[in-house]
Amino acid sequence: AMGVLGVVYCVFILQSSAHRESTPAHRTPSHFRQLNHTWGVPRHLAGGAASAVVASGGSLVGGGAGGAGVAPASAGAATARPALGSCLMTGGAAPTPITDDGAGEDAPLAPGDRASEHVPALTVSFCKRYAIGNALITTAADQRYMVWARNWAKSLQAHGVTNLFIGAMDAEARRLSLAEGIPAVLLGRMRQGTTWHSANRYKIRLVQGVVELGFDVLFTDADVTFVRDPLPFLQRYPAAGVLISTDLLIREKPYPMKNGLENVYEVYGHYRADLNVGLMFVRSTEHTVRMMNHWADVANADMSKSMQTFFVKIVRDYSRCEPSTEHPELANCYNGTVNVGLLPMDLFAGGYIYFVERLPQKNHLDAISVHATYQVHQGLDGKRERLRHSHLWFLDDEEYYAPSGGLLSMAPMELPAWMHDEKLIARYGEGGDLRDAHKNRTLMHFALVHYQMRQLREALAVAAMLGRTLIMPDFTVLLDNTWYPMNGAWPGFRKLGPFVAPLDHVLHMTHLKNNNVDYRSSTFLEHPCVKPGITPNDVATVTFAPGAPAPGPTAEPKVTMPKGASQAQIVNALKQHPAKVLHLTSTLGITSGFDTPHDQSSFAARINRTPMLWCCITKNVANDMFSQPFPPGHIYYDFWYDQEQQTASTGSTPQSGTCGSAPDYN
């Protein structure tokens, strides 16, 4: 599949290579700039939406017009940074370890106390100690996932929430939790090699244990992060026995919300998305206790399926479920004994809604929680990067926020000239599949991404030459990315068309880490641990102009370099520059690369394995477009698409020809 598409792609880029030089470079169109500006900064930090290093009319983190409006820097200027704890809203105090909370494996039961049948270490006295309004918030993790449970807890503590604890799936997880000052109860001793489905049964046991002791519980997966306290919203629905999140991606007009919850038709009708047990609030009643026990019984009887599968069956298949007459926002389920409500997808957001569609940000809503789901191909490192981008990762240290060597930022990347054709873009967004309107949307998408990757490649090179940490740009793309062929858009959801994608759609976060490519998210300068420490005087702009002379060592706030500058010229002029942030006003054609084959090869080897793959055209489109009789494959992006074939020593995928702007599709 890759070979056939590669041949077609090379034909496409060879035909269009001449078009590049004859087409003037363009900045991001105004409507895309607004898109970047609106989506670039999380709404929960709306008070600091404009970077301190940016004057009106420009931005260093996406959404500005090139480098315009960036204030000059002066040598030696500095502003004291706040204490790390303070900027993360944790009060500035180090956590106080908990020596013993009485919830260990062999903890004696006090007279008059009662222990859970399913979690013997969980007692009424433990729950009373931490519950507020009879409610507890909990997650479950073993030692491998404690980093996520710690971030989960800190996101709650940042908003003053204290009625939380961690269900430790092994003794080491409990020890780590107590050392961080986070209450924990030992669920058991999970053995190494336990399957995923078997491990998840601990989560059911945790919910069972809390509700059987008479306490309400909000259970979430450890990769949920809270933007604000969830309980005030949940307590608005006292008639609900279960409030649960969903994997919904769209709210269709025939099924509007009711009283702040998703339409209950999604529970009992022709549903389009699963209920997601990774965030569920269960109010303790006789009937919910019976329902949780039923869930555990059927899930434990079959370890081949997920615990979510069995909960959905209990709600939809095992018993009667219909609209509640007294509470239209709820469905009356479990043979009429438990009211179930669906949490709004834009307040209790899944990963796609928050990080890709950015529905809360677009609708000017303050989300309550973010569940890092819909992470395609990359797992935990991809999830962590998305949370960092949204300022929802609480575990980075001082060094992360003040990297040695300083920072390098770049103007929003230029887009090819054809992206400014409003008629073309309007036609592109008409929907349909990849065969409609333009005959080859796939190649347009790759041309757009590669045009931006060339600019990122040059910025990465300059950062490596100077020993600075690059603040990554935002990528504009045409096609979505997922695990299976879907022609670039989730069916029935997103119309095809340009949008700003998460960085992990284009680059592989784990490979960046493994290849020692140091970077920060595009929103880094807006982070409350960074922004107060960088003023306009801490930023110097660097412009590359044709025919400009190469300056000597400089500390000027505005530096002009020759376009296509050599490594020696860049290092000589900028290596000792005192500015905390050097800002590149453009990144297209700014450097000729490293001066020696060894340095160039070493740089290429570091970045060659970092591009992400795109998936996928469907079999029918593959057959129609490329006469391809076999199923489609995954296609990787290429940092060197515009270069002659790289040598084997660089480790890159061989390429031939050059690639330019897309051909005229009018």
Side-chain angles (χ1 to χ4, degrees), residues 246-257 261-263 265-266 270-274 342-346 350 352-354 357 359 362-363 374 490-495:
T246 73
D247 288 329
L248 283 172
L249 297 180
I250 186 172
R251 186 180 292 140
E252 293 189 0
K253 290 182 179 180
Y255 310 108
M257 296 180 68
L261 299 179
E262 297 296 344
N263 196 297
Y265 182 78
E266 295 291 346
H270 185 66
Y271 42 84
R272 297 178 303 282
D274 276 341
L342 302 184
L343 295 169
M345 64 181 180
D346 45 11
Y352 195 91
I353 290 294
Y354 196 83
E357 177 62 12
L359 188 62
K362 287 166 60 177
N363 292 339
Y374 286 92
W490 289 89
F493 176 52
R494 180 192 293 286
K495 290 184 177 180

Side-chain angles (χ1 to χ4, degrees), residues 54-100:
V54 180
S56 61
S59 172
L60 298 185
V61 295
V70 181
S74 63
T79 300
R81 296 175 66 252
L84 184 61
S86 175
C87 69
L88 289 176
M89 303 176 289
T90 58
T96 302
I98 300 174
T99 54
D100 186 7

Side-chain angles (χ1 to χ4, degrees), residues 108 114 122 203 206 212 275 346 380 401 457 496 521 537 560 569 587 592 643 656 665:
R114 182 163 67 95
L122 184 65
K203 300 176 181 179
L206 179 57
E212 74 169 324
L275 312 179
D346 45 11
L380 299 182
Y401 296 111
R457 182 187 75 208
L496 296 169
S521 297
N537 291 330
T560 301
Q569 291 172 328
T587 50
S592 59
Q643 299 289 313
S656 61
Y665 284 90

Side-chain angles (χ1 to χ4, degrees), residues 73-152:
S74 63
T79 300
R81 296 175 66 252
L84 184 61
S86 175
C87 69
L88 289 176
M89 303 176 289
T90 58
T96 302
I98 300 174
T99 54
D100 186 7
D101 58 0
E105 187 174 29
D106 301 317
L109 191 64
D113 202 357
R114 182 163 67 95
S116 162
E117 176 184 347
H118 302 94
V119 184
L122 184 65
T123 64
V124 170
S125 62
F126 177 92
C127 293
K128 283 183 176 180
R129 186 181 312 155
Y130 298 109
I132 295 178
N134 204 54
L136 291 158
I137 305 175
T138 189
T139 190
D142 65 0
Q143 57 184 297
R144 297 170 301 172
Y145 285 87
M146 269 304 298
V147 64
W148 292 91
R150 288 170 55 215
N151 192 70
W152 168 90

Side-chain angles (χ1 to χ4, degrees), residues 352 356 374-378 386 445 477-484 486-490 494 499 501-507 612-616 634-635 637:
Y352 195 91
V356 183
Y374 286 92
Q375 175 60 52
V376 179
H377 305 303
Q378 296 199 39
R386 289 185 174 190
H445 168 77
V477 303
L478 296 180
L479 300 178
D480 212 335
N481 196 6
T482 187
W483 300 274
Y484 52 85
M486 51 101 176
N487 288 343
W490 289 89
R494 180 192 293 286
F499 66 96
L503 186 62
D504 58 81
H505 273 213
V506 180
L507 297 176
M612 186 55 185
L613 56 82
W614 178 78
C615 176
C616 307
H634 299 76
I635 305 109
Y637 300 115

Side-chain angles (χ1 to χ4, degrees), residues 509-553:
M509 302 299 105
T510 302
H511 294 171
L512 285 169
K513 178 178 68 175
N514 292 344
N515 287 279
N516 299 313
V517 178
D518 199 16
Y519 70 95
R520 298 294 184 268
S521 297
S522 65
T523 60
F524 181 73
L525 293 177
E526 299 290 342
H527 197 286
C529 292
V530 177
K531 183 176 177 179
I534 298 180
T535 71
N537 291 330
D538 296 318
V539 183
T541 60
V542 182
T543 301
F544 291 81

Side-chain angles (χ1 to χ4, degrees), residues 325-338:
T325 55
E326 296 182 25
H327 306 281
E329 72 276 13
L330 303 174
N332 194 238
C333 300
Y334 206 60
N335 290 326
T337 63
V338 177

Side-chain angles (χ1 to χ4, degrees), residues 562-613:
K563 199 158 190 176
S566 66
Q567 178 186 8
Q569 291 172 328
I570 291 172
V571 170
N572 183 50
L574 301 174
K575 180 68 173 179
Q576 302 302 321
H577 201 291
K580 293 181 180 179
V581 181
L582 289 180
H583 177 64
L584 305 178
T585 61
S586 67
T587 50
L588 194 60
I590 61 175
T591 177
S592 59
F594 291 82
D595 291 345
T596 68
H598 176 268
D599 287 348
Q600 182 66 26
S601 179
S602 296
F603 171 71
R606 287 177 62 202
I607 70 170
N608 280 346
R609 299 302 181 188
T610 63
M612 186 55 185
L613 56 82

